[in-house]
Amino acid sequence: MTNETLHHCRQELHHHLTTELLPFWTARTADHVHGGFITHFDEHGHDSGEDEKSLIAQTRSIYTYASAHRAGYGSGELADLARHGVDYLLNRMWDHEHGGFYWMTNRQGEVTNDQKIVYGQSFAIYCLSEYTLATGDQRGVEYAQKVFDLLQKYGADTCYGGYFEMFDRDWTLKGPGAAGGNRKTLDAHMHLMEAFTTLYECTRQPIHRRKLLEVISLLVGKVMHPVYGTGVPQFWADWRVAPQIKFDVIWGWDRFTEDGAKEAAEDNTSYGHNAEFAWLLLHALSILEIPHETYFSQLQKAFSHAADNGVDWEFGGVFVEGSHSGKVYDREKEFWQQAEVLIGFLDAYRIFGEEKYWRAYENVHRFVMDKMVNRPVGEWWPLMTRKGVPIWTHMSHSWKINYHTVRSMVQSIRRLDMLLEKDTVRD
């Protein structure tokens, strides 16, 4: 790795972000008739017409525009878009009777699914805290704190720790099985960590710090594999490992078999999640002002597993998932795993200094820039074969939105700048 290589990678990412990726979204996403964002686009970037506005897509879009504005992009346009999204979120998706945000509305803003899903509530905390940090609009942190308080009241498991995840509108815990009331997941708790991190960054309140520390301790102590340091996807309420199943209303539907269960369901880990968890943990520790060496072993295991087992050294990119012990199960290439490992491998190289992480970063960087970006429109293909041929072709829907791709570019550029600054000081 040389300064020239760093500059070249940064230039590629910056060009993609500012001339392709952000323009894709700013040109077509705002709904000026009903408010909020249109989030369903086909491979040509045309509105594909689905009549829904999901909590996930709306909150992730708000986060995207707020965070990119905060990072210095957009000349104010992105702050205006974030504000446009917050107006819809608070006016149409907030439950004034029971509190919390509804899971789904139609395009007109009529509620079509009134359930309270912690995965979605976590993104509300995340985006609204980021929005206040980016714009100073206090409505964001006001509602972020309301959701945080509701999670402590209704969602916190005071027996085994962590949070239950699936609730009816009035915060009654849902039933077992596919309803999800007796399960806990890596995914929801990892996103609670990122949400509480940004909330604490915004408020600096001791209670937000304490709950963030609790979630970090639980993730490291219960959710990550005790030997390999890799993420275990699903658990029973008491944190025994549970077979990974498809929930009635939640994420992950696209990676399951017809019967709703995963192959090797109890020995299955995502390379993208492991890298994402590790860099989000690093960020949380930075906001908490705790040395990353405190979790040295956990960080090293998670990053190393992704680099050693997840990278496809023949065709480029990172695989979807595999065994905790290393065997690869799914060799396809999904957009969000690529996005997260770019940030993760740069962080790993930055703190550990091992060349394998830079080689892993360069490998995925090239795959993304050469194969995954749909150049005629500027967004990323959602799912590709191992060799980089598109399998799914939509540019966006409720689960494939701008959050991973834009965040990856913003955060990777930031880390490349840190590496360049470090090399300049060393020179």
Side-chain angles (χ1 to χ4, degrees):
M1 190 276 291
T2 64
N3 257 2
E4 183 179 358
T5 306
L6 287 172
H7 277 294
H8 178 71
C9 289
R10 187 198 189 280
Q11 184 179 23
E12 270 195 293
L13 298 189
H14 188 269
H15 180 268
H16 172 52
L17 175 64
T18 57
T19 69
E20 296 176 324
L21 197 52
L22 284 173
F24 175 90
W25 295 101
T26 58
R28 52 176 52 81
T29 188
D31 184 342
H32 296 294
V33 177
H34 301 293
F37 302 114
I38 295 167
T39 57
H40 291 71
F41 302 104
D42 66 18
E43 65 180 292
H44 304 294
H46 300 145
D47 181 358
S48 52
E50 284 85 346
D51 185 23
E52 65 178 47
K53 288 176 178 169
S54 71
L55 179 59
I56 289 298
Q58 299 301 308
T59 53
R60 285 179 164 183
S61 294
I62 292 166
Y63 171 84
T64 295
Y65 302 131
S67 62
H69 170 74
R70 188 179 171 203
Y73 300 96
S75 302
E77 176 187 22
L78 299 175
D80 292 339
L81 272 173
R83 188 174 296 107
H84 175 84
V86 168
D87 289 344
Y88 183 86
L89 187 68
L90 302 188
N91 293 334
R92 296 301 188 98
M93 302 194 83
W94 178 257
D95 183 346
H96 291 278
E97 182 178 356
H98 298 288
F101 291 101
Y102 298 119
W103 183 246
M104 190 80 69
T105 68
N106 62 19
R107 288 202 180 192
Q108 290 70 41
E110 300 162 333
V111 177
T112 57
N113 187 325
D114 62 9
Q115 295 177 68
K116 305 294 166 60
I117 311 296
V118 166
Y119 186 89
Q121 307 300 322
S122 73
F123 276 98
I125 296 172
Y126 190 37
C127 82
L128 291 168
S129 301
E130 184 71 24
Y131 171 71
T132 293
L133 285 165
T135 67
D137 186 341
Q138 292 301 303
R139 291 182 302 161
V141 71
E142 175 190 349
Y143 277 85
Q145 290 184 93
K146 287 181 179 181
V147 177
F148 173 87
D149 291 344
L150 286 164
L151 292 185
Q152 309 317 312
K153 181 177 181 180
Y154 294 114
D157 182 350
T158 56
C159 182
Y160 295 109
Y163 296 83
F164 294 108
E165 302 181 18
M166 307 291 200
F167 298 87
D168 292 322
R169 179 189 174 189
D170 63 357
W171 292 96
T172 300
L173 185 64
K174 295 182 73 65
N182 64 340
R183 301 268 181 145
K184 294 171 182 172
T185 66
L186 158 66
D187 218 354
H189 286 78
M190 181 180 71
H191 290 303
L192 285 172
M193 177 177 69
E194 72 180 347
F196 292 176
T197 298
T198 308
L199 178 61
Y200 175 62
E201 183 182 6
C202 190
T203 69
R204 297 294 173 177
Q205 289 189 16
I207 183 62
H208 300 149
R209 179 186 180 91
R210 181 160 62 85
K211 291 299 180 178
L212 172 57
L213 288 168
E214 284 182 12
V215 171
I216 290 172
S217 178
L218 185 145
L219 282 162
V220 174
K222 298 286 188 182
V223 176
M224 308 309 284
H225 194 284
V227 175
Y228 299 105
T230 46
V232 178
Q234 287 185 22
F235 298 84
W236 302 110
D238 62 2
W239 295 108
R240 288 176 297 124
V241 176
Q244 192 178 5
I245 62 168
K246 174 185 175 181
F247 296 127
D248 290 334
V249 181
I250 204 58
W251 60 95
W253 58 269
D254 52 356
R255 307 305 304 173
F256 288 85
T257 56
E258 289 184 6
D259 64 0
K262 281 218 177 191
E263 292 184 50
E266 295 186 53
D267 182 22
N268 182 71
T269 192
S270 161
Y271 307 110
H273 266 157
N274 295 333
E276 183 181 14
F277 166 75
W279 83 254
L280 287 172
L281 175 58
L282 271 174
H283 176 60
L285 295 174
S286 175
I287 297 300
L288 290 164
E289 299 182 339
I290 295 174
H292 69 261
E293 290 83 0
T294 307
Y295 291 96
F296 183 91
S297 177
Q298 172 59 64
L299 292 166
Q300 189 176 51
K301 287 178 178 180
F303 281 136
S304 186
H305 188 276
D308 294 343
N309 301 293
V311 175
D312 185 346
W313 296 105
E314 184 176 359
F315 296 107
V318 69
F319 299 124
V320 170
E321 59 198 14
S323 166
H324 296 287
S325 62
K327 180 182 178 181
V328 180
Y329 294 149
D330 188 336
R331 296 180 181 272
E332 293 172 343
K333 311 290 170 62
E334 198 166 9
F335 80 102
W336 70 264
Q337 284 99 339
Q338 317 305 314
E340 296 304 328
V341 301
L342 287 175
I343 309 170
F345 289 153
L346 285 175
D347 261 348
Y349 180 68
R350 184 172 60 84
I351 66 171
F352 295 123
E354 295 182 36
E355 283 297 320
K356 75 173 181 179
Y357 293 119
W358 178 256
R359 293 195 302 272
Y361 170 80
E362 275 196 303
N363 173 295
V364 180
H365 177 110
R366 282 269 52 86
F367 183 84
V368 169
M369 292 293 105
D370 296 344
K371 299 284 185 67
M372 190 143 255
V373 178
N374 179 4
R375 293 294 177 186
V377 298
E379 243 293 338
W380 299 16
W381 298 109
L383 184 69
M384 312 188 85
T385 66
R386 182 183 180 186
K387 294 182 179 181
V389 178
I391 298 172
W392 298 338
T393 58
H394 57 270
M395 289 294 97
S396 177
H397 62 32
S398 284
W399 293 104
K400 198 271 182 185
I401 191 67
N402 43 33
Y403 154 75
H404 285 290
T405 54
V406 173
R407 184 174 73 167
S408 178
M409 297 299 96
V410 170
Q411 294 298 328
S412 294
I413 290 169
R414 178 173 294 161
R415 282 152 180 78
L416 289 166
D417 284 339
M418 292 168 71
L419 289 168
L420 282 164
E421 182 181 354
K422 182 178 178 181
D423 271 9
T424 299
V425 171
R426 187 165 57 216
D427 290 345

PDB file of all heavy atoms in Angstrom, residues 91-115:
ATOM      1  N   ASN A  91     -45.218  13.149  11.248  1.00  0.00           N
ATOM      2  CA  ASN A  91     -46.622  13.482  10.998  1.00  0.00           C
ATOM      3  C   ASN A  91     -47.462  12.279  10.624  1.00  0.00           C
ATOM      4  O   ASN A  91     -48.672  12.247  10.915  1.00  0.00           O
ATOM      5  CB  ASN A  91     -46.722  14.527   9.873  1.00  0.00           C
ATOM      6  CG  ASN A  91     -46.148  15.864  10.277  1.00  0.00           C
ATOM      7  OD1 ASN A  91     -46.109  16.205  11.456  1.00  0.00           O
ATOM      8  ND2 ASN A  91     -45.694  16.638   9.294  1.00  0.00           N
ATOM      9  N   ARG A  92     -46.856  11.274   9.978  1.00  0.00           N
ATOM     10  CA  ARG A  92     -47.642  10.154   9.459  1.00  0.00           C
ATOM     11  C   ARG A  92     -47.335   8.806  10.102  1.00  0.00           C
ATOM     12  O   ARG A  92     -48.180   7.911  10.079  1.00  0.00           O
ATOM     13  CB  ARG A  92     -47.423  10.034   7.944  1.00  0.00           C
ATOM     14  CG  ARG A  92     -47.925  11.223   7.133  1.00  0.00           C
ATOM     15  CD  ARG A  92     -49.424  11.453   7.331  1.00  0.00           C
ATOM     16  NE  ARG A  92     -49.946  12.457   6.429  1.00  0.00           N
ATOM     17  CZ  ARG A  92     -50.575  12.206   5.292  1.00  0.00           C
ATOM     18  NH1 ARG A  92     -50.743  10.947   4.901  1.00  0.00           N
ATOM     19  NH2 ARG A  92     -51.035  13.178   4.533  1.00  0.00           N
ATOM     20  N   MET A  93     -46.156   8.622  10.656  1.00  0.00           N
ATOM     21  CA  MET A  93     -45.765   7.296  11.143  1.00  0.00           C
ATOM     22  C   MET A  93     -45.687   7.205  12.667  1.00  0.00           C
ATOM     23  O   MET A  93     -45.534   6.107  13.203  1.00  0.00           O
ATOM     24  CB  MET A  93     -44.438   6.863  10.511  1.00  0.00           C
ATOM     25  CG  MET A  93     -44.488   6.825   8.989  1.00  0.00           C
ATOM     26  SD  MET A  93     -43.112   5.949   8.201  1.00  0.00           S
ATOM     27  CE  MET A  93     -43.678   4.239   8.328  1.00  0.00           C
ATOM     28  N   TRP A  94     -45.810   8.322  13.365  1.00  0.00           N
ATOM     29  CA  TRP A  94     -45.785   8.291  14.830  1.00  0.00           C
ATOM     30  C   TRP A  94     -47.169   7.943  15.370  1.00  0.00           C
ATOM     31  O   TRP A  94     -48.178   8.492  14.923  1.00  0.00           O
ATOM     32  CB  TRP A  94     -45.342   9.641  15.382  1.00  0.00           C
ATOM     33  CG  TRP A  94     -45.332   9.683  16.888  1.00  0.00           C
ATOM     34  CD1 TRP A  94     -46.257  10.266  17.709  1.00  0.00           C
ATOM     35  CD2 TRP A  94     -44.355   9.101  17.765  1.00  0.00           C
ATOM     36  NE1 TRP A  94     -45.920  10.088  19.033  1.00  0.00           N
ATOM     37  CE2 TRP A  94     -44.762   9.374  19.098  1.00  0.00           C
ATOM     38  CE3 TRP A  94     -43.180   8.384  17.542  1.00  0.00           C
ATOM     39  CZ2 TRP A  94     -44.019   8.951  20.199  1.00  0.00           C
ATOM     40  CZ3 TRP A  94     -42.448   7.961  18.650  1.00  0.00           C
ATOM     41  CH2 TRP A  94     -42.860   8.236  19.960  1.00  0.00           C
ATOM     42  N   ASP A  95     -47.210   7.015  16.322  1.00  0.00           N
ATOM     43  CA  ASP A  95     -48.454   6.595  16.961  1.00  0.00           C
ATOM     44  C   ASP A  95     -48.709   7.505  18.166  1.00  0.00           C
ATOM     45  O   ASP A  95     -48.057   7.371  19.206  1.00  0.00           O
ATOM     46  CB  ASP A  95     -48.340   5.131  17.399  1.00  0.00           C
ATOM     47  CG  ASP A  95     -49.619   4.592  18.010  1.00  0.00           C
ATOM     48  OD1 ASP A  95     -50.511   5.382  18.351  1.00  0.00           O
ATOM     49  OD2 ASP A  95     -49.721   3.352  18.159  1.00  0.00           O
ATOM     50  N   HIS A  96     -49.662   8.424  18.034  1.00  0.00           N
ATOM     51  CA  HIS A  96     -49.908   9.401  19.094  1.00  0.00           C
ATOM     52  C   HIS A  96     -50.605   8.783  20.304  1.00  0.00           C
ATOM     53  O   HIS A  96     -50.563   9.358  21.397  1.00  0.00           O
ATOM     54  CB  HIS A  96     -50.743  10.566  18.555  1.00  0.00           C
ATOM     55  CG  HIS A  96     -49.999  11.425  17.580  1.00  0.00           C
ATOM     56  ND1 HIS A  96     -49.143  12.422  17.986  1.00  0.00           N
ATOM     57  CD2 HIS A  96     -49.957  11.419  16.223  1.00  0.00           C
ATOM     58  CE1 HIS A  96     -48.618  13.015  16.935  1.00  0.00           C
ATOM     59  NE2 HIS A  96     -49.072  12.414  15.848  1.00  0.00           N
ATOM     60  N   GLU A  97     -51.215   7.628  20.123  1.00  0.00           N
ATOM     61  CA  GLU A  97     -51.906   6.981  21.248  1.00  0.00           C
ATOM     62  C   GLU A  97     -50.967   6.115  22.069  1.00  0.00           C
ATOM     63  O   GLU A  97     -50.934   6.217  23.312  1.00  0.00           O
ATOM     64  CB  GLU A  97     -53.061   6.138  20.736  1.00  0.00           C
ATOM     65  CG  GLU A  97     -53.858   5.466  21.856  1.00  0.00           C
ATOM     66  CD  GLU A  97     -55.041   4.671  21.350  1.00  0.00           C
ATOM     67  OE1 GLU A  97     -55.305   4.684  20.132  1.00  0.00           O
ATOM     68  OE2 GLU A  97     -55.714   4.019  22.190  1.00  0.00           O
ATOM     69  N   HIS A  98     -50.199   5.260  21.427  1.00  0.00           N
ATOM     70  CA  HIS A  98     -49.362   4.298  22.142  1.00  0.00           C
ATOM     71  C   HIS A  98     -47.869   4.610  22.069  1.00  0.00           C
ATOM     72  O   HIS A  98     -47.072   3.984  22.780  1.00  0.00           O
ATOM     73  CB  HIS A  98     -49.609   2.885  21.607  1.00  0.00           C
ATOM     74  CG  HIS A  98     -51.011   2.408  21.799  1.00  0.00           C
ATOM     75  ND1 HIS A  98     -51.516   2.056  23.038  1.00  0.00           N
ATOM     76  CD2 HIS A  98     -52.024   2.229  20.913  1.00  0.00           C
ATOM     77  CE1 HIS A  98     -52.776   1.672  22.909  1.00  0.00           C
ATOM     78  NE2 HIS A  98     -53.110   1.774  21.630  1.00  0.00           N
ATOM     79  N   GLY A  99     -47.481   5.530  21.232  1.00  0.00           N
ATOM     80  CA  GLY A  99     -46.066   5.856  21.091  1.00  0.00           C
ATOM     81  C   GLY A  99     -45.345   4.883  20.176  1.00  0.00           C
ATOM     82  O   GLY A  99     -45.776   3.757  19.938  1.00  0.00           O
ATOM     83  N   GLY A 100     -44.239   5.331  19.651  1.00  0.00           N
ATOM     84  CA  GLY A 100     -43.471   4.524  18.717  1.00  0.00           C
ATOM     85  C   GLY A 100     -43.929   4.758  17.286  1.00  0.00           C
ATOM     86  O   GLY A 100     -44.935   5.443  17.025  1.00  0.00           O
ATOM     87  N   PHE A 101     -43.196   4.192  16.355  1.00  0.00           N
ATOM     88  CA  PHE A 101     -43.489   4.379  14.934  1.00  0.00           C
ATOM     89  C   PHE A 101     -44.120   3.121  14.341  1.00  0.00           C
ATOM     90  O   PHE A 101     -43.697   2.004  14.636  1.00  0.00           O
ATOM     91  CB  PHE A 101     -42.209   4.727  14.165  1.00  0.00           C
ATOM     92  CG  PHE A 101     -41.677   6.092  14.499  1.00  0.00           C
ATOM     93  CD1 PHE A 101     -40.614   6.244  15.385  1.00  0.00           C
ATOM     94  CD2 PHE A 101     -42.241   7.230  13.935  1.00  0.00           C
ATOM     95  CE1 PHE A 101     -40.123   7.501  15.701  1.00  0.00           C
ATOM     96  CE2 PHE A 101     -41.763   8.494  14.248  1.00  0.00           C
ATOM     97  CZ  PHE A 101     -40.704   8.635  15.128  1.00  0.00           C
ATOM     98  N   TYR A 102     -45.116   3.346  13.498  1.00  0.00           N
ATOM     99  CA  TYR A 102     -45.757   2.243  12.785  1.00  0.00           C
ATOM    100  C   TYR A 102     -44.762   1.601  11.819  1.00  0.00           C
ATOM    101  O   TYR A 102     -43.854   2.245  11.312  1.00  0.00           O
ATOM    102  CB  TYR A 102     -46.962   2.741  11.996  1.00  0.00           C
ATOM    103  CG  TYR A 102     -48.066   3.338  12.836  1.00  0.00           C
ATOM    104  CD1 TYR A 102     -48.450   4.668  12.669  1.00  0.00           C
ATOM    105  CD2 TYR A 102     -48.746   2.575  13.774  1.00  0.00           C
ATOM    106  CE1 TYR A 102     -49.474   5.230  13.418  1.00  0.00           C
ATOM    107  CE2 TYR A 102     -49.770   3.119  14.543  1.00  0.00           C
ATOM    108  CZ  TYR A 102     -50.131   4.452  14.356  1.00  0.00           C
ATOM    109  OH  TYR A 102     -51.145   4.998  15.116  1.00  0.00           O
ATOM    110  N   TRP A 103     -44.998   0.342  11.510  1.00  0.00           N
ATOM    111  CA  TRP A 103     -44.098  -0.400  10.635  1.00  0.00           C
ATOM    112  C   TRP A 103     -44.276  -0.026   9.167  1.00  0.00           C
ATOM    113  O   TRP A 103     -43.330  -0.006   8.399  1.00  0.00           O
ATOM    114  CB  TRP A 103     -44.318  -1.897  10.830  1.00  0.00           C
ATOM    115  CG  TRP A 103     -43.401  -2.776  10.042  1.00  0.00           C
ATOM    116  CD1 TRP A 103     -43.752  -3.621   9.022  1.00  0.00           C
ATOM    117  CD2 TRP A 103     -41.990  -2.930  10.185  1.00  0.00           C
ATOM    118  NE1 TRP A 103     -42.651  -4.285   8.540  1.00  0.00           N
ATOM    119  CE2 TRP A 103     -41.547  -3.874   9.249  1.00  0.00           C
ATOM    120  CE3 TRP A 103     -41.043  -2.345  11.044  1.00  0.00           C
ATOM    121  CZ2 TRP A 103     -40.217  -4.253   9.113  1.00  0.00           C
ATOM    122  CZ3 TRP A 103     -39.719  -2.720  10.922  1.00  0.00           C
ATOM    123  CH2 TRP A 103     -39.310  -3.665   9.959  1.00  0.00           C
ATOM    124  N   MET A 104     -45.516   0.290   8.744  1.00  0.00           N
ATOM    125  CA  MET A 104     -45.747   0.503   7.318  1.00  0.00           C
ATOM    126  C   MET A 104     -46.932   1.432   7.085  1.00  0.00           C
ATOM    127  O   MET A 104     -47.945   1.344   7.777  1.00  0.00           O
ATOM    128  CB  MET A 104     -46.031  -0.842   6.630  1.00  0.00           C
ATOM    129  CG  MET A 104     -46.060  -0.801   5.113  1.00  0.00           C
ATOM    130  SD  MET A 104     -44.414  -0.829   4.409  1.00  0.00           S
ATOM    131  CE  MET A 104     -43.900  -2.527   4.811  1.00  0.00           C
ATOM    132  N   THR A 105     -46.771   2.333   6.099  1.00  0.00           N
ATOM    133  CA  THR A 105     -47.904   3.075   5.553  1.00  0.00           C
ATOM    134  C   THR A 105     -47.940   2.837   4.043  1.00  0.00           C
ATOM    135  O   THR A 105     -46.981   2.330   3.461  1.00  0.00           O
ATOM    136  CB  THR A 105     -47.784   4.586   5.800  1.00  0.00           C
ATOM    137  OG1 THR A 105     -46.688   5.110   5.030  1.00  0.00           O
ATOM    138  CG2 THR A 105     -47.562   4.897   7.285  1.00  0.00           C
ATOM    139  N   ASN A 106     -49.042   3.231   3.422  1.00  0.00           N
ATOM    140  CA  ASN A 106     -49.046   3.256   1.961  1.00  0.00           C
ATOM    141  C   ASN A 106     -48.445   4.590   1.505  1.00  0.00           C
ATOM    142  O   ASN A 106     -48.007   5.396   2.324  1.00  0.00           O
ATOM    143  CB  ASN A 106     -50.448   3.015   1.393  1.00  0.00           C
ATOM    144  CG  ASN A 106     -51.452   4.092   1.819  1.00  0.00           C
ATOM    145  OD1 ASN A 106     -51.087   5.186   2.239  1.00  0.00           O
ATOM    146  ND2 ASN A 106     -52.735   3.772   1.705  1.00  0.00           N
ATOM    147  N   ARG A 107     -48.423   4.818   0.212  1.00  0.00           N
ATOM    148  CA  ARG A 107     -47.786   6.042  -0.289  1.00  0.00           C
ATOM    149  C   ARG A 107     -48.494   7.309   0.173  1.00  0.00           C
ATOM    150  O   ARG A 107     -47.879   8.358   0.321  1.00  0.00           O
ATOM    151  CB  ARG A 107     -47.714   6.012  -1.818  1.00  0.00           C
ATOM    152  CG  ARG A 107     -46.697   5.029  -2.351  1.00  0.00           C
ATOM    153  CD  ARG A 107     -46.290   5.403  -3.751  1.00  0.00           C
ATOM    154  NE  ARG A 107     -45.311   4.457  -4.280  1.00  0.00           N
ATOM    155  CZ  ARG A 107     -44.612   4.663  -5.384  1.00  0.00           C
ATOM    156  NH1 ARG A 107     -44.787   5.779  -6.073  1.00  0.00           N
ATOM    157  NH2 ARG A 107     -43.754   3.768  -5.812  1.00  0.00           N
ATOM    158  N   GLN A 108     -49.803   7.203   0.404  1.00  0.00           N
ATOM    159  CA  GLN A 108     -50.567   8.368   0.827  1.00  0.00           C
ATOM    160  C   GLN A 108     -50.375   8.689   2.306  1.00  0.00           C
ATOM    161  O   GLN A 108     -50.823   9.731   2.779  1.00  0.00           O
ATOM    162  CB  GLN A 108     -52.049   8.156   0.542  1.00  0.00           C
ATOM    163  CG  GLN A 108     -52.412   8.178  -0.946  1.00  0.00           C
ATOM    164  CD  GLN A 108     -51.892   6.955  -1.694  1.00  0.00           C
ATOM    165  OE1 GLN A 108     -51.948   5.826  -1.178  1.00  0.00           O
ATOM    166  NE2 GLN A 108     -51.370   7.159  -2.885  1.00  0.00           N
ATOM    167  N   GLY A 109     -49.737   7.769   3.034  1.00  0.00           N
ATOM    168  CA  GLY A 109     -49.505   7.992   4.453  1.00  0.00           C
ATOM    169  C   GLY A 109     -50.518   7.339   5.363  1.00  0.00           C
ATOM    170  O   GLY A 109     -50.550   7.620   6.568  1.00  0.00           O
ATOM    171  N   GLU A 110     -51.332   6.451   4.822  1.00  0.00           N
ATOM    172  CA  GLU A 110     -52.299   5.716   5.638  1.00  0.00           C
ATOM    173  C   GLU A 110     -51.625   4.475   6.211  1.00  0.00           C
ATOM    174  O   GLU A 110     -50.936   3.750   5.490  1.00  0.00           O
ATOM    175  CB  GLU A 110     -53.503   5.318   4.787  1.00  0.00           C
ATOM    176  CG  GLU A 110     -54.238   6.499   4.185  1.00  0.00           C
ATOM    177  CD  GLU A 110     -55.139   6.119   3.022  1.00  0.00           C
ATOM    178  OE1 GLU A 110     -54.851   5.103   2.335  1.00  0.00           O
ATOM    179  OE2 GLU A 110     -56.120   6.841   2.791  1.00  0.00           O
ATOM    180  N   VAL A 111     -51.824   4.217   7.481  1.00  0.00           N
ATOM    181  CA  VAL A 111     -51.156   3.105   8.158  1.00  0.00           C
ATOM    182  C   VAL A 111     -51.698   1.776   7.634  1.00  0.00           C
ATOM    183  O   VAL A 111     -52.905   1.540   7.634  1.00  0.00           O
ATOM    184  CB  VAL A 111     -51.356   3.197   9.683  1.00  0.00           C
ATOM    185  CG1 VAL A 111     -50.706   1.993  10.377  1.00  0.00           C
ATOM    186  CG2 VAL A 111     -50.754   4.495  10.223  1.00  0.00           C
ATOM    187  N   THR A 112     -50.802   0.906   7.199  1.00  0.00           N
ATOM    188  CA  THR A 112     -51.183  -0.421   6.707  1.00  0.00           C
ATOM    189  C   THR A 112     -50.663  -1.543   7.592  1.00  0.00           C
ATOM    190  O   THR A 112     -51.118  -2.668   7.489  1.00  0.00           O
ATOM    191  CB  THR A 112     -50.667  -0.636   5.266  1.00  0.00           C
ATOM    192  OG1 THR A 112     -49.248  -0.457   5.244  1.00  0.00           O
ATOM    193  CG2 THR A 112     -51.325   0.354   4.310  1.00  0.00           C
ATOM    194  N   ASN A 113     -49.706  -1.261   8.448  1.00  0.00           N
ATOM    195  CA  ASN A 113     -49.206  -2.233   9.429  1.00  0.00           C
ATOM    196  C   ASN A 113     -48.807  -1.449  10.664  1.00  0.00           C
ATOM    197  O   ASN A 113     -47.847  -0.671  10.630  1.00  0.00           O
ATOM    198  CB  ASN A 113     -48.024  -3.021   8.876  1.00  0.00           C
ATOM    199  CG  ASN A 113     -47.571  -4.151   9.789  1.00  0.00           C
ATOM    200  OD1 ASN A 113     -47.628  -4.029  11.010  1.00  0.00           O
ATOM    201  ND2 ASN A 113     -47.127  -5.252   9.214  1.00  0.00           N
ATOM    202  N   ASP A 114     -49.548  -1.638  11.749  1.00  0.00           N
ATOM    203  CA  ASP A 114     -49.349  -0.797  12.939  1.00  0.00           C
ATOM    204  C   ASP A 114     -48.453  -1.441  13.993  1.00  0.00           C
ATOM    205  O   ASP A 114     -48.359  -0.946  15.117  1.00  0.00           O
ATOM    206  CB  ASP A 114     -50.690  -0.412  13.559  1.00  0.00           C
ATOM    207  CG  ASP A 114     -51.508  -1.609  14.049  1.00  0.00           C
ATOM    208  OD1 ASP A 114     -50.966  -2.746  14.072  1.00  0.00           O
ATOM    209  OD2 ASP A 114     -52.685  -1.417  14.408  1.00  0.00           O
ATOM    210  N   GLN A 115     -47.797  -2.549  13.646  1.00  0.00           N
ATOM    211  CA  GLN A 115     -46.958  -3.230  14.632  1.00  0.00           C
ATOM    212  C   GLN A 115     -45.734  -2.390  15.007  1.00  0.00           C
ATOM    213  O   GLN A 115     -45.284  -1.541  14.239  1.00  0.00           O
ATOM    214  CB  GLN A 115     -46.521  -4.584  14.089  1.00  0.00           C
ATOM    215  CG  GLN A 115     -47.687  -5.542  13.875  1.00  0.00           C
ATOM    216  CD  GLN A 115     -47.237  -6.852  13.273  1.00  0.00           C
ATOM    217  OE1 GLN A 115     -46.540  -7.626  13.913  1.00  0.00           O
ATOM    218  NE2 GLN A 115     -47.646  -7.122  12.046  1.00  0.00           N
TER     219      GLN A 115
END
